[in-house]
Every structure is written in C-alpha cells, then in structure tokens.
Amino acid sequence: MQASRARLFKEYKEVQREKTADPDIQLVCDDSNIFKWTALIKGPSETPYEGGVFQLAFSVPEQYPLQPPQVRFLTKIFHPNVHFKTGEICLDILKNAWSPAWTLQSVCRAIIALMAHPEPDSPLNCDSGNLLRSGDVRGYQSMARMYTRLAAMPKKG
Amino acid sequence: MDSEDDMHDANDIESLDDDFYSGETEDAPMDYYSDYDDDPDDYFDDADDSDRVESRRPEQNFTVLMEPDIRQRQEDDITRVSTVLSISQVAASILLRNYNWSVSKVHDAWFADEDQVRRTVGLLEKPVYENPNARELTCGICFEAYPPSRIQTASCGHPYCFSCWGGYIGTSINDGPGCLMLRCPDPSCDAAVDQDMINLLASDEDREKYDRYLLRSYIEDNKKTKWCPAPGCEYAVNFDAGSGNYDVSCLCSYSFCWNCTEEAHRPVDCGTVSKWILKNSAESENMNWILANSKPCPKCKRPIEKNQGCMHMTCTPPCKFEFCWLCLGTWSDHGERTGGFYACNRYEAAKQEGVYDETEKRREMAKNSLERYTHYYERWASNQSSRQKALADLHQMQTVHIEKLSDTQCQPESQLKFITEAWLQIVECRRVLKWTYAYGYYLPEHEHAKKQFFEYLQGEAESGLERLHQCAEKELQLFLNGDSPSREFNDFRTKLAGLTSVTRNYFENLVRALENGLCDVDSNGAASSKATLSKNAAGSSKGRGGRGKGAIRASISSRMADDNHWSCEQCTYANVRSATACQMCNQQRR
Ligand SMILES: [Zn+2]
Ligand SMILES: [Zn+2]
Ligand SMILES: [Zn+2]
Ligand SMILES: [Zn+2]
Ligand SMILES: [Zn+2]
Ligand SMILES: [Zn+2]
Ligand SMILES: [Zn+2]
C-alpha cells in the first residue's frame, strides 16, 4: 500500500512537471483518491478516431505496480478490442504482459497505439472484429468514424 | 481400431530426440531392476513392490527416478552444457530450460547461430543500458534514487532496487512455473533473470518454490520423462523408446502406460483403452449397480456377498449352491470338472425370434447393445476389484502369513516362495484379463473367426486363472488355519506351483495373440477354425486341436520336453509319468 502510494505520487509529480510533454495525453488524479485517475486521450491522426477526445478511467490496485491498473473507456468507441457497452479493453500489457516498469502515462500511449492498430483476432467487439476480418475496412472505418463523431467530439453550438 | 491414433502415438515416441550424450546419462542412476534380477530373494522380500511382476521382463526400457536421481541428472546436464559451451552454470540452465532440457538441441542451436540463441533466451554478452556514472541511480519501478550498492541489474544493465526486484520476482514465482522464464522488467528488454539473481533477491519461501518449479520442469518439459501418475507418488520415469512396449512400473508399485499414462493395459492398445474409459464414464450411471458387492443366490435368492477374489461363489448353508459370480450359472458348468469349454466370457445376444415391428425391434436392439456392454463392463470391473483384492492378499501374505506358515509347516521361508509367485501371477493376470474385456467389446462382430479364437484363448486363460485364484485363496486357507505340519502341504505346493505355471502359459499365449492382432486366424483359413472351435464349444474334449490349440501347443512344447512328465492336452500342465489323468483338470492322458 505504502509502496504503491509512493509510486503513484511520483507519477503524479511527473505529470505535473511535464504537463505539456505529450500533448495527446492529459492524466488527472482524483482529488480525494490517488488510486483513481482519469485520462483524456486524442484519437490518433489518420484513423477513424481522429478529432475525437476519449476519456479513460483508471482504477489502480494496491499491489501496483506489481499488478497492472484496470482501465476502461468512458467514451463510447467502436473498436475491435474494446467492449462496446462496458468500455473494457483487451490489451496484453494490461494482463499477462504487464511489467512494473510501465506507468499510467505509458499505458495511455499503448492504448493510443492500439486505437491506430486494432487486433481483430482477439475481439471484444465482435461486429467490429468481423468487419475487419472479412476485409471490410471501409465498413469498419465508417462505423468507427460515426461513433467518434457522435460520442467523442464536442457538440457544436 | 483407432489406427490413426496409434500411428500418431507411435510417431510421438519415435520423434524423441536421441541425445547424442544419452550413452553417458544411461549408467548414471541406479538400475533398480537389474539389482533385483541378480538377487531374487531381494525381489520378493521387498513387500511393497508387489506389482513388479512385470519388471521381470527382460527388455527393461525405462528407469525409475527418485528425487536425488532427478537432481543429479539435471545437474549433470547443466554441467555438460556449461563445459562444452564455456558458459556459466546458470546460463546453461537457462539454455536447457528453453530447449526442453535436451542437451543435443542446445548444442545444435548454439553452434548453428550463437547470437540468435543468445537473443531468444535473453543471455546478453554486454549491457544494453549504460547507467550514467552517478552517485545515485533511479530504480525503474519505484522511481526512487539509490546508491549503486542498493541497485541490481540483469545482464542488460536496467537498474532496479532490491525491494522492487523482490516484489517483481515474488509476484512472478507466485504466478506459476512461468517464473522460470522471467525477463528484465523493462518492457523492451529480453534479458533473462537467472537463478543467481533469484537466490540473491527472492524470499526463502519463494526460492523454495522456484527450486520446485525447476525440478518439475526437468521432468515435465523433457520428452523422455514423466511423473508417475499414482496419487501421492513422487517418482518419475525415464523412458527409452524402442521396444514398442509402453508398460512401465514405478517403485511405488503402480504400473502405467508411458504413452497414455493410463493404468498399464498391455496387450490392449491405447486407443481402445481411451475409448473404453470414455464409454465407461458415459455409462457410469447405468452401471452403478454392477459395482454392488452382493447378488441374490440364483437358487435360494438370499443375498450373497462377494468378499473373495475368485469368481467361484458358494452360498451359505444349508443352500451351499455353488455358482459363478459373473453369469450366476452353476459352477460345475465352468469347465473345472467337466473339461468342458469355458464359455462364461462369451457374450451371446438373445435370440430374436418371431415378428417384431419397427419400434419393438429398435427397442430390442437398444436393450441388446446395453446388455452387450454390460456383459463386458461387468467382467472388466469384476477383474479390477478382484485384482485389488489379490493385491491386498498378496501384501497380507508377504507381511504376515508366510512367516506364520513357515513356523507351522516347519518350512524355510525361501521354500514358500511359490505362494508369493502364485499371488504375483494372479495380480498380473487379473490386470491382463480385465483389459481383454475392453478388447473384446471393440472386436468387430463380423470377424467371426477372430472373435471365436479370441474367446477361446480368453476362456482358457480365465478358467485357468479361476482355478489358480481359488487354490491360492481357499485351499491355502486350510493350512493358514492349521497349527501343525500337514502332510498334504507338499501336494498343495505341487498343485499351486503347477497352476501358476499353467496359468502363466495361458496368459502368455493370450497376450501374444492379441499383440499379433489375432493374425494366426487369418493365415490358416478362418472357416476351418470357426468350425473346430464351435464344435469344441459343445463340450467335446476330443478334437480340440483347432487353430488356437495348435498355436498354444507349439509355443509351449519346448519347455515341457522331459521324460519323467507328460504334458496335459488340455491345460498343458506337466504331470508325473504315473498319473493317468491330469492333476490339474482331470483330462485323461492320451
Ligand atoms: Zn525500486
Ligand atoms: Zn533490461
Ligand atoms: Zn509411483
Ligand atoms: Zn496406453
Ligand atoms: Zn443359496
Ligand atoms: Zn460364469
Ligand atoms: Zn490338465
């Protein structure tokens, strides 16, 4: 508990210090609980998520960083490796490939990379996975773009 | 039967890499069995190893390993790789783990492309990360700064503090055997975490777990070794491919098939066994009643409990009806006194006469198929429990009775060995007989000649075994109860030893015939053998020289050549010259 708190505090200070280091990621620690974080990440360019801003919720276990944080999308997203209803993410580094050398910041970077490079073979969203696996890239892209516009873009006016 | 499965299994075994060093490994551990062969007394006095009757087969193609042997072999392999490749012991251990503990595979891969091997297993020659030459280093996990003395690195140089290493290693060890392949915590780094680091950084408890995993890996990842599947047994078996005989027996007394790890099932093949076991579990609800230990006497209907191993039941007085546990028929029909053909092992479908409509016919067929299965299952299961009983009796014999008997009969224990031998034979025969019922169930109905030949051999073997089992169980009891030397004891010795040898012959024939796929039938014209055998079934003791008989006599005659004895036509027992009828089966001398 003490080790995880100390480590999270280090990450917190690092985030404060380097606020502008990565313009695509904005990590915010909960005011009352250092084990709860949220992040806003920008959809990578040249993907159907471009222009969208996606919110992630982090729940950090007491064994952190020996155990990975739990992360899910709060913003609706159409992506083969993200559960459409719960926002749960299928990403190896959040499971068996976790290393304590990862940080919340680097997890965000890995999620952005996953948005740009979906893995249709381990789908949490079957519709989306099937579109990609059957080679219907345009179908997948237009669905993903539609949900980005509906859910991840500030309403105009 | 499942020829594809068999092929597959066989290939698996053949593809075992033949270590080019295996010649050296071979003589390292003790060879238990050859010790026993040298000193038969040792063999039988060792009361716990009752199952080892099988290990007397000359071609011993396996070795039982105890923990010290396993550690020794593991250490030898590591040292060998370390010496040949001029690398540290811990590096050699990492290499071997990555190549399923095959010394030859490590060598091949290393000499083909050392750099490639180093990259894949994570043995770096120099650090990839240069620590800034500072007074303080920052741990890559807790991000705290430490003096270099409190920082550890793997071969890559990535710095982590002692406490973070401890947590990292501990988490991995408690996640399971994957800890044996642990790499540096840096996500982009493949450097292996070796055993020296584990020993330095893990807690005592974790170190012990790691050590266990390492030992287990040596057995489980190595294609030539397996743990003995008996519950609670900690021995392993090293198997050398070649003879095609997969039966191995562990020092704990359990015999199992090295190929499929089911209980030993020679002469029946693995495919048949796994089909049979699957079938049994599918039918288990239907078959529960078979495992019940009591049946109503066929004559007086009172429930009779089976508490002995042989199938010969005698109802309690005043009824005293003697019947067969399996078929509930009169025991005297079972070939002992009449010399008739033993047919209790055969399944005869109920005759279907008259006109059936479709539903009735289908119902009848369903009933028949269940009845047929029941027939085989009951015999399989009864022989299984009979074998368990015999094992217990054998143990009792070795630990209690032999000594007592030696006193009451004034016979040195070495001269009572024939009793232990009889029981060992019974145990082994019950096992073989049990599996022949799985074999029989899957023997295609339309192969009439094979089926009859098989049932003939099985019936002969079974009736011999029943005689032997009964003699060892009931006739011996008289002497166990007595308290002074009995003049009949020598006759008993002759009879029991004779039955043991006769039964062994029957079973050797049965095993050989099944292992040949009953091909003796094909080569000599199926039709004639069918005719002869069915005539025999009618009970005539004449003209029993059908195909089966010929084969049996041919294979046994060699050991029966002796001027002072004549060999019984029916059961092959070697009788003394003066006897006019066989002492075993009452067959008249011809
Ligand atoms: Zn640390
Ligand atoms: Zn490293
Ligand atoms: Zn064992
Ligand atoms: Zn097998
Ligand atoms: Zn009765
Ligand atoms: Zn019977
Ligand atoms: Zn005889």
Side-chain angles (χ1 to χ4, degrees):
Chain A
M1 181 73 156
Q2 219 41 53
S4 53
R5 184 179 290 277
R7 155 79 185 244
L8 283 168
F9 189 62
K10 294 259 178 211
E11 290 194 44
Y12 172 78
K13 284 203 295 195
E14 182 69 14
V15 166
Q16 299 304 102
R17 203 161 54 83
E18 304 235 355
K19 251 194 174 126
T20 48
D22 192 335
D24 295 336
I25 301 169
Q26 196 188 332
L27 256 173
V28 186
C29 176
D30 188 288
D31 283 343
S32 56
N33 184 353
I34 200 167
F35 292 93
K36 301 275 179 220
W37 293 62
T38 49
L40 293 172
I41 57 176
K42 283 190 186 154
S45 53
E46 285 163 53
T47 72
Y49 311 106
E50 184 171 7
V53 176
F54 297 83
Q55 194 178 355
L56 302 171
F58 284 79
S59 170
V60 183
E62 286 177 14
Q63 297 81 18
Y64 183 79
L66 295 176
Q67 301 289 340
Q70 287 174 3
V71 194
R72 62 187 187 92
F73 274 90
L74 290 178
T75 310
K76 219 167 229 353
I77 177 169
F78 187 82
H79 185 282
N81 310 110
V82 181
H83 195 284
F84 192 65
K85 287 218 169 76
T86 63
E88 188 192 335
I89 304 166
C90 177
L91 180 58
D92 59 351
I93 65 142
L94 292 175
K95 293 172 181 139
N96 49 353
W98 170 256
S99 156
W102 291 96
T103 61
L104 301 185
Q105 182 88 19
S106 56
V107 167
C108 290
R109 247 177 259 130
I111 291 173
I112 293 173
L114 180 70
M115 290 166 82
H117 305 283
E119 301 268 0
D121 288 329
S122 56
L124 271 175
N125 178 336
C126 295
D127 293 341
S128 162
N130 289 342
L131 282 174
L132 270 184
R133 262 182 304 184
S134 64
D136 190 354
V137 179
R138 286 186 54 188
Y140 152 74
Q141 285 183 336
S142 66
M143 288 291 283
R145 204 173 294 120
M146 180 184 84
Y147 278 104
T148 303
R149 209 169 295 138
L150 280 176
M153 288 188 184
K155 303 270 180 301
K156 299 241 171 64
Chain B
M1 260 139 239
D2 262 356
S3 56
E4 269 188 27
D5 284 356
D6 294 340
M7 292 280 288
H8 175 73
D9 291 335
N11 287 339
D12 265 5
I13 297 288
E14 267 156 25
S15 69
L16 295 180
D17 54 303
D18 265 4
D19 264 13
F20 62 85
Y21 280 100
S22 63
E24 289 174 35
T25 359
E26 228 71 325
D27 44 24
M30 306 192 266
D31 190 346
Y32 305 100
Y33 295 104
S34 58
D35 285 356
Y36 283 106
D37 285 349
D38 293 346
D39 187 355
D41 278 330
D42 236 346
Y43 177 87
F44 287 111
D45 291 343
D46 216 277
D48 289 324
D49 308 325
S50 39
D51 254 9
R52 248 189 288 153
V53 66
E54 294 192 303
S55 62
R56 285 187 289 180
R57 268 190 234 119
E59 357 83 63
Q60 171 85 47
N61 53 351
F62 63 90
T63 319
V64 179
L65 306 173
M66 297 195 277
E67 193 173 317
D69 307 327
I70 302 171
R71 292 196 185 276
Q72 188 60 53
R73 286 187 167 214
Q74 189 171 29
E75 217 178 290
D76 292 349
D77 286 351
I78 291 172
T79 305
R80 195 170 299 135
V81 168
S82 148
T83 313
V84 174
L85 306 188
S86 306
I87 54 176
S88 69
Q89 294 257 340
V90 289
S93 169
I94 288 173
L95 276 172
L96 279 162
R97 257 176 272 158
N98 276 273
Y99 289 89
N100 294 330
W101 297 97
S102 161
V103 173
S104 64
K105 273 193 196 148
V106 166
H107 289 165
D108 290 351
W110 186 269
F111 292 121
D113 190 345
E114 178 182 331
D115 288 343
Q116 167 70 29
V117 172
R118 280 182 176 279
R119 265 196 307 280
T120 30
V121 308
L123 288 175
L124 312 189
E125 272 189 295
K126 52 179 194 296
V128 291
Y129 177 85
E130 288 297 337
N131 283 308
N133 200 3
R135 286 232 185 104
E136 287 194 322
L137 295 169
T138 302
C139 165
I141 293 178
C142 66
F143 302 148
E144 301 282 353
Y146 290 97
S149 62
R150 294 186 56 196
I151 290 284
Q152 261 300 317
T153 68
S155 56
C156 55
H158 292 116
Y160 304 98
C161 75
F162 276 61
S163 125
C164 287
W165 269 120
Y168 180 65
I169 290 170
T171 308
S172 165
I173 290 176
N174 286 293
D175 273 356
C179 64
L180 296 177
M181 298 294 190
L182 192 61
R183 307 292 177 112
C184 165
D186 189 290
S188 63
C189 177
D190 278 333
V193 177
D194 63 31
Q195 204 177 356
D196 285 347
M197 292 192 69
I198 305 284
N199 288 338
L200 181 70
L201 299 159
S203 68
D204 287 352
E205 191 191 331
D206 287 346
R207 218 164 21 223
E208 232 164 78
K209 279 189 195 158
Y210 187 89
D211 190 59
R212 249 11 263 171
Y213 283 133
L214 196 61
L215 183 82
R216 275 176 47 184
S217 151
Y218 186 72
I219 298 301
E220 289 162 26
D221 298 337
N222 193 328
K223 282 187 179 160
K224 287 181 173 179
T225 52
K226 278 177 187 173
W227 294 111
C228 166
C233 177
E234 288 178 353
Y235 300 146
V237 173
N238 183 82
F239 185 84
D240 292 305
S243 76
N245 171 23
Y246 295 137
D247 281 7
V248 301
S249 32
C250 179
L251 291 179
C252 73
S253 89
Y254 187 69
S255 305
F256 64 98
C257 167
W258 203 87
N259 193 33
C260 70
T261 66
E262 283 296 342
E263 178 201 24
H265 53 70
R266 189 170 180 254
V268 179
D269 64 83
C270 302
T272 305
V273 167
S274 77
K275 253 194 299 185
W276 177 251
I277 286 174
L278 209 67
K279 171 91 180 157
N280 291 348
S281 62
E283 301 280 2
S284 64
E285 266 176 41
N286 288 330
M287 293 299 128
N288 269 338
W289 60 272
I290 281 183
L291 306 174
N293 221 23
S294 102
K295 286 182 180 179
C297 163
K299 202 171 171 196
C300 71
K301 306 297 175 214
R302 275 183 304 161
I304 303 299
E305 203 171 312
K306 183 173 188 297
N307 48 19
Q308 288 189 298
C310 88
M311 306 295 170
H312 181 173
M313 307 297 295
T314 307
C315 185
T316 45
C319 169
K320 289 204 212 154
F321 181 60
E322 293 183 44
F323 63 96
C324 163
W325 169 261
L326 290 170
C327 66
L328 299 178
T330 314
W331 186 254
S332 53
D333 290 347
H334 280 67
E336 185 174 19
R337 269 182 275 281
T338 61
F341 186 73
Y342 184 91
C344 182
N345 60 320
R346 305 171 67 190
Y347 174 73
E348 310 264 13
K351 286 266 178 321
Q352 294 180 31
E353 278 159 6
V355 191
Y356 285 91
D357 68 16
E358 260 311 296
T359 14
E360 225 173 318
K361 208 195 256 160
R362 197 167 303 139
R363 197 178 306 136
E364 193 60 31
M365 271 164 63
K367 200 176 120 225
N368 265 342
S369 93
L370 190 63
E371 257 174 26
R372 182 170 175 275
Y373 169 68
T374 306
H375 171 92
Y376 289 96
Y377 180 75
E378 176 165 28
R379 279 155 181 78
W380 181 81
S382 298
N383 277 292
Q384 159 77 5
S385 52
S386 180
R387 178 175 183 274
Q388 291 311 114
K389 180 73 174 55
L391 262 177
D393 286 346
L394 168 63
H395 187 73
Q396 190 70 6
M397 228 28 92
Q398 289 171 316
T399 51
V400 184
H401 293 325
I402 294 283
E403 200 185 334
K404 248 175 68 187
L405 205 59
S406 162
D407 286 347
T408 51
Q409 300 296 332
C410 302
Q411 303 255 5
E413 283 191 27
S414 64
Q415 285 181 26
L416 299 177
K417 219 183 285 170
F418 72 97
I419 298 177
T420 326
E421 277 184 55
W423 280 102
L424 283 167
Q425 194 64 49
I426 292 170
V427 167
E428 169 66 356
C429 290
R430 286 286 173 206
R431 187 189 67 71
V432 171
L433 188 57
K434 165 183 145 177
W435 286 112
T436 62
Y437 279 105
Y439 182 95
Y441 181 76
Y442 291 109
L443 193 58
E445 289 283 345
H446 60 268
E447 302 222 42
H448 295 293
K450 278 193 177 182
K451 201 169 169 60
Q452 279 181 338
F453 181 45
F454 163 67
E455 282 172 347
Y456 169 75
L457 291 175
Q458 187 191 39
E460 293 291 274
E462 180 162 352
S463 87
L465 175 58
E466 291 305 338
R467 285 198 298 269
L468 170 63
H469 204 158
Q470 175 168 341
C471 182
E473 216 168 31
K474 291 171 184 159
E475 295 180 34
L476 179 60
Q477 199 58 45
L478 301 176
F479 302 103
L480 294 181
N481 294 340
D483 47 13
S484 60
S486 157
R487 271 192 294 148
E488 282 90 55
F489 192 73
N490 270 338
D491 294 342
F492 171 73
R493 173 204 307 281
T494 313
K495 183 173 181 190
L496 189 65
L499 283 172
T500 304
S501 114
V502 164
T503 308
R504 181 183 305 128
N505 289 342
Y506 278 139
F507 275 82
E508 277 173 3
N509 279 301
L510 178 62
V511 165
R512 205 171 307 128
L514 295 198
E515 283 181 341
N516 290 340
L518 298 171
C519 60
D520 282 359
V521 172
D522 296 339
S523 57
N524 280 285
S528 74
S529 89
K530 181 179 167 186
T532 332
L533 285 167
S534 19
K535 229 182 275 156
N536 287 336
S540 144
S541 58
K542 283 206 173 146
R544 301 190 83 232
R547 278 255 37 77
K549 200 67 203 208
I552 293 170
R553 207 185 300 125
S555 65
I556 289 169
S557 58
S558 58
R559 53 175 89 188
M560 292 295 174
D562 174 352
D563 283 347
N564 294 320
H565 292 86
W566 59 275
S567 181
C568 169
E569 281 267 307
Q570 176 164 307
C571 73
T572 71
Y573 179 64
N575 292 282
V576 288
R577 254 214 337 218
S578 56
T580 54
C582 172
Q583 288 173 282
M584 291 303 135
C585 66
N586 287 333
Q587 166 85 359
Q588 288 297 310
R589 180 176 183 176
R590 287 159 44 86

